[in-house]
Amino acid sequence: MNDKELFDRMTESLYAAVISDTLDELGHRNQVMRENINPIDPNWVLAGRAKTILSVDVHYIPDQPYAKEIEAVDSVKPEDVVIGCTNESKQNGLWGELLSTASKVRGARGAIVDGLIRDTAKIVELGFPVFATGTKPVDSQGRGIVIDYDVPVLCGGVRVNPGDVVFGDRDGIVVIPKDLVGEVFERALDKATRENHTRDELLAGRTLRQVYDKYGVL
């Protein structure tokens, strides 16, 4: 299946916890971003290829404060999820309505920012899933600047490489290394199916021991 089909199936059938469990089983136990990065709308579920953008704090207004930021957003491709690494800045409002609009039109599936964002009402209205640590109405000009993109970044405590797959929902954000995506998807889908059977049998009155012994999930 192509990326669009894969990510659509992931958002329809999977959830962060079952993907995290699957990565644990494969020995990748530190793939979940910090718990302070959350969706603006808790009902949003997001999956896509990591498009990394690296920003740093500044304390002056550069001659061209948005040059690299514009270049980065204009290079977004369909099925990307923008990973905005601000080094957990509290002064840099990296993301907002216009960057969301530009990214959505280019086919991006959403954005994850390890810092603050703004224009949240407009972003919700746009229907573009964005995860962040919080909000602040200040512009990034003179506070932060994009210095690079399509490079490895540390976002929410997890190393994210360009092309890795990220999955986010109201429980958190999981990073799947790009060379494990197919295996993680198949294993997670199987585990989710077994969890669904477990829940159904618990609701029918069977004991937790009975269904655990049968399906092996908890």
Side-chain angles (χ1 to χ4, degrees), residues 56-89:
V56 298
D57 284 354
V58 294
H59 304 280
Y60 68 99
I61 298 178
D63 291 338
Q64 295 185 322
Y66 303 121
K68 188 66 76 170
E69 181 177 311
I70 291 169
E71 185 180 310
V73 172
D74 280 347
S75 70
V76 165
K77 296 181 178 61
E79 316 313 324
D80 280 350
V81 171
V82 175
I83 305 296
C85 176
T86 71
N87 298 290
E88 302 180 23
S89 174

PDB file of all heavy atoms in Angstrom, residues 56-89:
ATOM      1  N   VAL A  56      15.730  27.713  16.734  1.00  0.00           N
ATOM      2  CA  VAL A  56      16.436  28.067  17.969  1.00  0.00           C
ATOM      3  C   VAL A  56      15.999  29.459  18.423  1.00  0.00           C
ATOM      4  O   VAL A  56      15.533  30.270  17.619  1.00  0.00           O
ATOM      5  CB  VAL A  56      17.973  28.048  17.785  1.00  0.00           C
ATOM      6  CG1 VAL A  56      18.457  26.657  17.427  1.00  0.00           C
ATOM      7  CG2 VAL A  56      18.414  29.061  16.733  1.00  0.00           C
ATOM      8  N   ASP A  57      16.157  29.719  19.697  1.00  0.00           N
ATOM      9  CA  ASP A  57      15.855  31.044  20.238  1.00  0.00           C
ATOM     10  C   ASP A  57      16.881  32.070  19.767  1.00  0.00           C
ATOM     11  O   ASP A  57      18.075  31.764  19.631  1.00  0.00           O
ATOM     12  CB  ASP A  57      15.874  31.021  21.762  1.00  0.00           C
ATOM     13  CG  ASP A  57      14.641  30.380  22.357  1.00  0.00           C
ATOM     14  OD1 ASP A  57      13.710  30.049  21.592  1.00  0.00           O
ATOM     15  OD2 ASP A  57      14.609  30.197  23.586  1.00  0.00           O
ATOM     16  N   VAL A  58      16.413  33.296  19.516  1.00  0.00           N
ATOM     17  CA  VAL A  58      17.300  34.423  19.253  1.00  0.00           C
ATOM     18  C   VAL A  58      16.808  35.610  20.082  1.00  0.00           C
ATOM     19  O   VAL A  58      15.682  35.611  20.587  1.00  0.00           O
ATOM     20  CB  VAL A  58      17.346  34.805  17.749  1.00  0.00           C
ATOM     21  CG1 VAL A  58      17.984  33.694  16.938  1.00  0.00           C
ATOM     22  CG2 VAL A  58      15.958  35.134  17.224  1.00  0.00           C
ATOM     23  N   HIS A  59      17.666  36.623  20.174  1.00  0.00           N
ATOM     24  CA  HIS A  59      17.329  37.804  20.976  1.00  0.00           C
ATOM     25  C   HIS A  59      17.605  39.083  20.185  1.00  0.00           C
ATOM     26  O   HIS A  59      18.004  40.113  20.742  1.00  0.00           O
ATOM     27  CB  HIS A  59      18.101  37.768  22.290  1.00  0.00           C
ATOM     28  CG  HIS A  59      17.859  36.509  23.068  1.00  0.00           C
ATOM     29  ND1 HIS A  59      16.741  36.312  23.845  1.00  0.00           N
ATOM     30  CD2 HIS A  59      18.567  35.356  23.125  1.00  0.00           C
ATOM     31  CE1 HIS A  59      16.773  35.102  24.378  1.00  0.00           C
ATOM     32  NE2 HIS A  59      17.872  34.506  23.960  1.00  0.00           N
ATOM     33  N   TYR A  60      17.384  38.972  18.876  1.00  0.00           N
ATOM     34  CA  TYR A  60      17.519  40.111  17.973  1.00  0.00           C
ATOM     35  C   TYR A  60      16.672  39.788  16.747  1.00  0.00           C
ATOM     36  O   TYR A  60      16.250  38.647  16.563  1.00  0.00           O
ATOM     37  CB  TYR A  60      18.982  40.322  17.566  1.00  0.00           C
ATOM     38  CG  TYR A  60      19.514  39.211  16.697  1.00  0.00           C
ATOM     39  CD1 TYR A  60      19.579  39.339  15.301  1.00  0.00           C
ATOM     40  CD2 TYR A  60      19.922  38.000  17.252  1.00  0.00           C
ATOM     41  CE1 TYR A  60      20.042  38.314  14.498  1.00  0.00           C
ATOM     42  CE2 TYR A  60      20.387  36.963  16.458  1.00  0.00           C
ATOM     43  CZ  TYR A  60      20.441  37.120  15.084  1.00  0.00           C
ATOM     44  OH  TYR A  60      20.898  36.099  14.297  1.00  0.00           O
ATOM     45  N   ILE A  61      16.415  40.778  15.908  1.00  0.00           N
ATOM     46  CA  ILE A  61      15.645  40.544  14.690  1.00  0.00           C
ATOM     47  C   ILE A  61      16.612  40.428  13.514  1.00  0.00           C
ATOM     48  O   ILE A  61      17.252  41.415  13.127  1.00  0.00           O
ATOM     49  CB  ILE A  61      14.635  41.679  14.433  1.00  0.00           C
ATOM     50  CG1 ILE A  61      13.632  41.750  15.592  1.00  0.00           C
ATOM     51  CG2 ILE A  61      13.899  41.451  13.114  1.00  0.00           C
ATOM     52  CD1 ILE A  61      12.617  42.867  15.465  1.00  0.00           C
ATOM     53  N   PRO A  62      16.755  39.224  12.960  1.00  0.00           N
ATOM     54  CA  PRO A  62      17.664  39.041  11.820  1.00  0.00           C
ATOM     55  C   PRO A  62      17.167  39.803  10.590  1.00  0.00           C
ATOM     56  O   PRO A  62      15.999  40.203  10.508  1.00  0.00           O
ATOM     57  CB  PRO A  62      17.623  37.521  11.584  1.00  0.00           C
ATOM     58  CG  PRO A  62      17.045  36.933  12.838  1.00  0.00           C
ATOM     59  CD  PRO A  62      16.125  37.964  13.388  1.00  0.00           C
ATOM     60  N   ASP A  63      18.044  39.955   9.617  1.00  0.00           N
ATOM     61  CA  ASP A  63      17.672  40.652   8.384  1.00  0.00           C
ATOM     62  C   ASP A  63      16.541  39.939   7.651  1.00  0.00           C
ATOM     63  O   ASP A  63      15.655  40.581   7.082  1.00  0.00           O
ATOM     64  CB  ASP A  63      18.892  40.783   7.460  1.00  0.00           C
ATOM     65  CG  ASP A  63      19.939  41.747   8.006  1.00  0.00           C
ATOM     66  OD1 ASP A  63      19.561  42.607   8.832  1.00  0.00           O
ATOM     67  OD2 ASP A  63      21.117  41.630   7.619  1.00  0.00           O
ATOM     68  N   GLN A  64      16.577  38.614   7.642  1.00  0.00           N
ATOM     69  CA  GLN A  64      15.537  37.819   6.979  1.00  0.00           C
ATOM     70  C   GLN A  64      15.034  36.758   7.969  1.00  0.00           C
ATOM     71  O   GLN A  64      15.410  35.578   7.877  1.00  0.00           O
ATOM     72  CB  GLN A  64      16.080  37.164   5.707  1.00  0.00           C
ATOM     73  CG  GLN A  64      16.474  38.158   4.633  1.00  0.00           C
ATOM     74  CD  GLN A  64      16.902  37.467   3.343  1.00  0.00           C
ATOM     75  OE1 GLN A  64      17.547  36.435   3.346  1.00  0.00           O
ATOM     76  NE2 GLN A  64      16.514  38.053   2.222  1.00  0.00           N
ATOM     77  N   PRO A  65      14.184  37.160   8.888  1.00  0.00           N
ATOM     78  CA  PRO A  65      13.811  36.269   9.991  1.00  0.00           C
ATOM     79  C   PRO A  65      13.012  35.045   9.573  1.00  0.00           C
ATOM     80  O   PRO A  65      12.967  34.059  10.310  1.00  0.00           O
ATOM     81  CB  PRO A  65      12.986  37.182  10.907  1.00  0.00           C
ATOM     82  CG  PRO A  65      12.471  38.264  10.005  1.00  0.00           C
ATOM     83  CD  PRO A  65      13.546  38.486   9.010  1.00  0.00           C
ATOM     84  N   TYR A  66      12.374  35.087   8.413  1.00  0.00           N
ATOM     85  CA  TYR A  66      11.511  33.973   8.009  1.00  0.00           C
ATOM     86  C   TYR A  66      12.057  33.180   6.819  1.00  0.00           C
ATOM     87  O   TYR A  66      11.378  32.275   6.320  1.00  0.00           O
ATOM     88  CB  TYR A  66      10.119  34.503   7.625  1.00  0.00           C
ATOM     89  CG  TYR A  66       9.428  35.292   8.703  1.00  0.00           C
ATOM     90  CD1 TYR A  66       9.040  36.614   8.472  1.00  0.00           C
ATOM     91  CD2 TYR A  66       9.143  34.732   9.939  1.00  0.00           C
ATOM     92  CE1 TYR A  66       8.388  37.347   9.445  1.00  0.00           C
ATOM     93  CE2 TYR A  66       8.501  35.465  10.929  1.00  0.00           C
ATOM     94  CZ  TYR A  66       8.128  36.770  10.675  1.00  0.00           C
ATOM     95  OH  TYR A  66       7.480  37.495  11.637  1.00  0.00           O
ATOM     96  N   ALA A  67      13.248  33.498   6.335  1.00  0.00           N
ATOM     97  CA  ALA A  67      13.733  32.928   5.073  1.00  0.00           C
ATOM     98  C   ALA A  67      13.771  31.399   5.100  1.00  0.00           C
ATOM     99  O   ALA A  67      13.203  30.724   4.225  1.00  0.00           O
ATOM    100  CB  ALA A  67      15.119  33.487   4.740  1.00  0.00           C
ATOM    101  N   LYS A  68      14.432  30.808   6.078  1.00  0.00           N
ATOM    102  CA  LYS A  68      14.560  29.354   6.134  1.00  0.00           C
ATOM    103  C   LYS A  68      13.223  28.697   6.490  1.00  0.00           C
ATOM    104  O   LYS A  68      12.917  27.602   6.013  1.00  0.00           O
ATOM    105  CB  LYS A  68      15.630  28.975   7.158  1.00  0.00           C
ATOM    106  CG  LYS A  68      15.986  27.495   7.174  1.00  0.00           C
ATOM    107  CD  LYS A  68      16.666  27.030   5.904  1.00  0.00           C
ATOM    108  CE  LYS A  68      18.098  27.476   5.851  1.00  0.00           C
ATOM    109  NZ  LYS A  68      18.855  26.843   4.736  1.00  0.00           N
ATOM    110  N   GLU A  69      12.425  29.370   7.280  1.00  0.00           N
ATOM    111  CA  GLU A  69      11.097  28.863   7.641  1.00  0.00           C
ATOM    112  C   GLU A  69      10.206  28.739   6.396  1.00  0.00           C
ATOM    113  O   GLU A  69       9.539  27.718   6.191  1.00  0.00           O
ATOM    114  CB  GLU A  69      10.464  29.813   8.653  1.00  0.00           C
ATOM    115  CG  GLU A  69       9.101  29.431   9.160  1.00  0.00           C
ATOM    116  CD  GLU A  69       8.630  30.423  10.205  1.00  0.00           C
ATOM    117  OE1 GLU A  69       9.400  30.731  11.146  1.00  0.00           O
ATOM    118  OE2 GLU A  69       7.496  30.905  10.078  1.00  0.00           O
ATOM    119  N   ILE A  70      10.209  29.765   5.564  1.00  0.00           N
ATOM    120  CA  ILE A  70       9.426  29.742   4.324  1.00  0.00           C
ATOM    121  C   ILE A  70       9.929  28.633   3.406  1.00  0.00           C
ATOM    122  O   ILE A  70       9.143  27.872   2.820  1.00  0.00           O
ATOM    123  CB  ILE A  70       9.488  31.112   3.621  1.00  0.00           C
ATOM    124  CG1 ILE A  70       8.727  32.158   4.451  1.00  0.00           C
ATOM    125  CG2 ILE A  70       8.926  31.025   2.207  1.00  0.00           C
ATOM    126  CD1 ILE A  70       8.947  33.584   3.980  1.00  0.00           C
ATOM    127  N   GLU A  71      11.240  28.524   3.282  1.00  0.00           N
ATOM    128  CA  GLU A  71      11.845  27.488   2.444  1.00  0.00           C
ATOM    129  C   GLU A  71      11.431  26.094   2.919  1.00  0.00           C
ATOM    130  O   GLU A  71      11.104  25.212   2.116  1.00  0.00           O
ATOM    131  CB  GLU A  71      13.370  27.644   2.499  1.00  0.00           C
ATOM    132  CG  GLU A  71      14.155  26.725   1.598  1.00  0.00           C
ATOM    133  CD  GLU A  71      15.649  26.975   1.739  1.00  0.00           C
ATOM    134  OE1 GLU A  71      16.061  28.152   1.649  1.00  0.00           O
ATOM    135  OE2 GLU A  71      16.397  25.992   1.945  1.00  0.00           O
ATOM    136  N   ALA A  72      11.437  25.913   4.234  1.00  0.00           N
ATOM    137  CA  ALA A  72      11.086  24.609   4.799  1.00  0.00           C
ATOM    138  C   ALA A  72       9.632  24.263   4.529  1.00  0.00           C
ATOM    139  O   ALA A  72       9.309  23.148   4.075  1.00  0.00           O
ATOM    140  CB  ALA A  72      11.362  24.608   6.299  1.00  0.00           C
ATOM    141  N   VAL A  73       8.726  25.188   4.784  1.00  0.00           N
ATOM    142  CA  VAL A  73       7.300  24.910   4.600  1.00  0.00           C
ATOM    143  C   VAL A  73       6.974  24.712   3.125  1.00  0.00           C
ATOM    144  O   VAL A  73       6.156  23.849   2.769  1.00  0.00           O
ATOM    145  CB  VAL A  73       6.444  26.027   5.229  1.00  0.00           C
ATOM    146  CG1 VAL A  73       4.971  25.846   4.873  1.00  0.00           C
ATOM    147  CG2 VAL A  73       6.621  26.037   6.746  1.00  0.00           C
ATOM    148  N   ASP A  74       7.618  25.476   2.248  1.00  0.00           N
ATOM    149  CA  ASP A  74       7.373  25.313   0.810  1.00  0.00           C
ATOM    150  C   ASP A  74       7.897  23.985   0.276  1.00  0.00           C
ATOM    151  O   ASP A  74       7.546  23.580  -0.840  1.00  0.00           O
ATOM    152  CB  ASP A  74       7.996  26.470   0.030  1.00  0.00           C
ATOM    153  CG  ASP A  74       7.138  27.730   0.069  1.00  0.00           C
ATOM    154  OD1 ASP A  74       5.967  27.635   0.485  1.00  0.00           O
ATOM    155  OD2 ASP A  74       7.644  28.809  -0.312  1.00  0.00           O
ATOM    156  N   SER A  75       8.731  23.265   1.054  1.00  0.00           N
ATOM    157  CA  SER A  75       9.246  21.967   0.621  1.00  0.00           C
ATOM    158  C   SER A  75       8.448  20.793   1.202  1.00  0.00           C
ATOM    159  O   SER A  75       8.804  19.636   0.975  1.00  0.00           O
ATOM    160  CB  SER A  75      10.725  21.829   1.017  1.00  0.00           C
ATOM    161  OG  SER A  75      10.875  21.692   2.422  1.00  0.00           O
ATOM    162  N   VAL A  76       7.370  21.099   1.937  1.00  0.00           N
ATOM    163  CA  VAL A  76       6.514  20.043   2.499  1.00  0.00           C
ATOM    164  C   VAL A  76       5.892  19.230   1.367  1.00  0.00           C
ATOM    165  O   VAL A  76       5.494  19.778   0.332  1.00  0.00           O
ATOM    166  CB  VAL A  76       5.423  20.675   3.386  1.00  0.00           C
ATOM    167  CG1 VAL A  76       4.307  19.684   3.682  1.00  0.00           C
ATOM    168  CG2 VAL A  76       6.035  21.180   4.688  1.00  0.00           C
ATOM    169  N   LYS A  77       5.792  17.910   1.592  1.00  0.00           N
ATOM    170  CA  LYS A  77       5.234  17.002   0.591  1.00  0.00           C
ATOM    171  C   LYS A  77       3.986  16.309   1.136  1.00  0.00           C
ATOM    172  O   LYS A  77       3.769  16.275   2.355  1.00  0.00           O
ATOM    173  CB  LYS A  77       6.275  15.957   0.196  1.00  0.00           C
ATOM    174  CG  LYS A  77       7.509  16.519  -0.492  1.00  0.00           C
ATOM    175  CD  LYS A  77       8.474  15.405  -0.858  1.00  0.00           C
ATOM    176  CE  LYS A  77       9.695  15.959  -1.600  1.00  0.00           C
ATOM    177  NZ  LYS A  77      10.439  16.921  -0.785  1.00  0.00           N
ATOM    178  N   PRO A  78       3.154  15.762   0.232  1.00  0.00           N
ATOM    179  CA  PRO A  78       1.973  15.036   0.683  1.00  0.00           C
ATOM    180  C   PRO A  78       2.332  13.909   1.666  1.00  0.00           C
ATOM    181  O   PRO A  78       3.352  13.249   1.517  1.00  0.00           O
ATOM    182  CB  PRO A  78       1.404  14.454  -0.619  1.00  0.00           C
ATOM    183  CG  PRO A  78       1.844  15.429  -1.672  1.00  0.00           C
ATOM    184  CD  PRO A  78       3.213  15.866  -1.244  1.00  0.00           C
ATOM    185  N   GLU A  79       1.495  13.758   2.663  1.00  0.00           N
ATOM    186  CA  GLU A  79       1.598  12.754   3.730  1.00  0.00           C
ATOM    187  C   GLU A  79       2.662  13.078   4.764  1.00  0.00           C
ATOM    188  O   GLU A  79       2.950  12.269   5.649  1.00  0.00           O
ATOM    189  CB  GLU A  79       1.819  11.340   3.180  1.00  0.00           C
ATOM    190  CG  GLU A  79       0.959  10.954   1.989  1.00  0.00           C
ATOM    191  CD  GLU A  79      -0.514  11.284   2.130  1.00  0.00           C
ATOM    192  OE1 GLU A  79      -1.045  11.184   3.251  1.00  0.00           O
ATOM    193  OE2 GLU A  79      -1.147  11.651   1.125  1.00  0.00           O
ATOM    194  N   ASP A  80       3.252  14.270   4.696  1.00  0.00           N
ATOM    195  CA  ASP A  80       4.204  14.697   5.726  1.00  0.00           C
ATOM    196  C   ASP A  80       3.487  15.104   7.009  1.00  0.00           C
ATOM    197  O   ASP A  80       2.348  15.583   6.979  1.00  0.00           O
ATOM    198  CB  ASP A  80       5.025  15.900   5.248  1.00  0.00           C
ATOM    199  CG  ASP A  80       6.177  15.529   4.329  1.00  0.00           C
ATOM    200  OD1 ASP A  80       6.475  14.331   4.184  1.00  0.00           O
ATOM    201  OD2 ASP A  80       6.791  16.460   3.748  1.00  0.00           O
ATOM    202  N   VAL A  81       4.189  14.929   8.121  1.00  0.00           N
ATOM    203  CA  VAL A  81       3.833  15.588   9.377  1.00  0.00           C
ATOM    204  C   VAL A  81       5.017  16.465   9.760  1.00  0.00           C
ATOM    205  O   VAL A  81       6.138  15.965   9.921  1.00  0.00           O
ATOM    206  CB  VAL A  81       3.545  14.578  10.505  1.00  0.00           C
ATOM    207  CG1 VAL A  81       3.405  15.298  11.841  1.00  0.00           C
ATOM    208  CG2 VAL A  81       2.285  13.785  10.203  1.00  0.00           C
ATOM    209  N   VAL A  82       4.787  17.747   9.875  1.00  0.00           N
ATOM    210  CA  VAL A  82       5.864  18.664  10.231  1.00  0.00           C
ATOM    211  C   VAL A  82       6.237  18.441  11.699  1.00  0.00           C
ATOM    212  O   VAL A  82       5.374  18.442  12.579  1.00  0.00           O
ATOM    213  CB  VAL A  82       5.440  20.126  10.012  1.00  0.00           C
ATOM    214  CG1 VAL A  82       6.538  21.065  10.504  1.00  0.00           C
ATOM    215  CG2 VAL A  82       5.148  20.369   8.537  1.00  0.00           C
ATOM    216  N   ILE A  83       7.516  18.241  11.940  1.00  0.00           N
ATOM    217  CA  ILE A  83       8.045  18.122  13.306  1.00  0.00           C
ATOM    218  C   ILE A  83       8.799  19.405  13.598  1.00  0.00           C
ATOM    219  O   ILE A  83       9.906  19.617  13.103  1.00  0.00           O
ATOM    220  CB  ILE A  83       8.978  16.902  13.448  1.00  0.00           C
ATOM    221  CG1 ILE A  83       8.282  15.619  13.005  1.00  0.00           C
ATOM    222  CG2 ILE A  83       9.484  16.796  14.883  1.00  0.00           C
ATOM    223  CD1 ILE A  83       7.091  15.221  13.832  1.00  0.00           C
ATOM    224  N   GLY A  84       8.195  20.284  14.379  1.00  0.00           N
ATOM    225  CA  GLY A  84       8.798  21.563  14.699  1.00  0.00           C
ATOM    226  C   GLY A  84       9.572  21.476  16.000  1.00  0.00           C
ATOM    227  O   GLY A  84       8.983  21.470  17.078  1.00  0.00           O
ATOM    228  N   CYS A  85      10.890  21.378  15.886  1.00  0.00           N
ATOM    229  CA  CYS A  85      11.739  21.293  17.078  1.00  0.00           C
ATOM    230  C   CYS A  85      12.206  22.695  17.463  1.00  0.00           C
ATOM    231  O   CYS A  85      12.960  23.327  16.723  1.00  0.00           O
ATOM    232  CB  CYS A  85      12.934  20.388  16.799  1.00  0.00           C
ATOM    233  SG  CYS A  85      14.087  20.320  18.176  1.00  0.00           S
ATOM    234  N   THR A  86      11.749  23.172  18.611  1.00  0.00           N
ATOM    235  CA  THR A  86      12.132  24.495  19.105  1.00  0.00           C
ATOM    236  C   THR A  86      13.075  24.404  20.301  1.00  0.00           C
ATOM    237  O   THR A  86      13.346  25.399  20.947  1.00  0.00           O
ATOM    238  CB  THR A  86      10.891  25.287  19.553  1.00  0.00           C
ATOM    239  OG1 THR A  86      10.375  24.717  20.764  1.00  0.00           O
ATOM    240  CG2 THR A  86       9.811  25.288  18.476  1.00  0.00           C
ATOM    241  N   ASN A  87      13.546  23.167  20.606  1.00  0.00           N
ATOM    242  CA  ASN A  87      14.323  22.948  21.824  1.00  0.00           C
ATOM    243  C   ASN A  87      13.521  23.367  23.054  1.00  0.00           C
ATOM    244  O   ASN A  87      14.053  23.929  23.995  1.00  0.00           O
ATOM    245  CB  ASN A  87      15.670  23.667  21.756  1.00  0.00           C
ATOM    246  CG  ASN A  87      16.534  23.152  20.627  1.00  0.00           C
ATOM    247  OD1 ASN A  87      17.023  22.028  20.679  1.00  0.00           O
ATOM    248  ND2 ASN A  87      16.707  23.957  19.579  1.00  0.00           N
ATOM    249  N   GLU A  88      12.223  23.082  22.970  1.00  0.00           N
ATOM    250  CA  GLU A  88      11.277  23.342  24.085  1.00  0.00           C
ATOM    251  C   GLU A  88      11.240  24.805  24.476  1.00  0.00           C
ATOM    252  O   GLU A  88      11.102  25.163  25.645  1.00  0.00           O
ATOM    253  CB  GLU A  88      11.616  22.452  25.285  1.00  0.00           C
ATOM    254  CG  GLU A  88      11.584  20.973  24.938  1.00  0.00           C
ATOM    255  CD  GLU A  88      11.914  20.075  26.116  1.00  0.00           C
ATOM    256  OE1 GLU A  88      11.751  20.516  27.267  1.00  0.00           O
ATOM    257  OE2 GLU A  88      12.336  18.939  25.873  1.00  0.00           O
ATOM    258  N   SER A  89      11.324  25.670  23.491  1.00  0.00           N
ATOM    259  CA  SER A  89      11.326  27.108  23.737  1.00  0.00           C
ATOM    260  C   SER A  89      10.037  27.570  24.406  1.00  0.00           C
ATOM    261  O   SER A  89       8.942  27.097  24.093  1.00  0.00           O
ATOM    262  CB  SER A  89      11.493  27.861  22.423  1.00  0.00           C
ATOM    263  OG  SER A  89      11.364  29.256  22.633  1.00  0.00           O
TER     264      SER A  89
END
